Amino acid sequence: MSTSATDDLSARSAECALAAQAGYQDLHQDCRQTDDIPLPHGGGIVLVARCTCPCHTYIATEA
């Protein structure tokens, strides 16, 4: 079994991590963590990383 960033629940938002559980799939729509939030004046340091869940369209369009 291969492991990728999308398999790691710790890299997902709280909503998408819970949505991975049976019965909570509808929580994917509540995820708002779709962009990296940089640290102000941090020189490219990310304060909050975007969710890596494959339900987000940017995962499919990244190459």
Side-chain angles (χ1 to χ4, degrees):
M1 177 157 93
S2 67
T3 342
S4 69
T6 57
D7 295 330
D8 184 7
L9 292 180
S10 68
R12 294 186 185 183
S13 68
E15 294 84 4
C16 287
L18 184 56
Q21 305 301 316
Y24 293 97
Q25 292 83 2
D26 59 332
L27 287 179
H28 282 293
Q29 66 190 6
D30 294 332
C31 180
R32 303 288 181 255
Q33 204 169 313
T34 57
D35 291 314
D36 287 339
I37 300 174
L39 185 65
H41 311 291
I45 298 172
V46 176
L47 180 63
V48 178
R50 65 183 177 191
C51 179
T52 61
C53 184
C55 77
H56 301 296
T57 56
Y58 62 75
I59 296 293
T61 58
E62 274 187 310

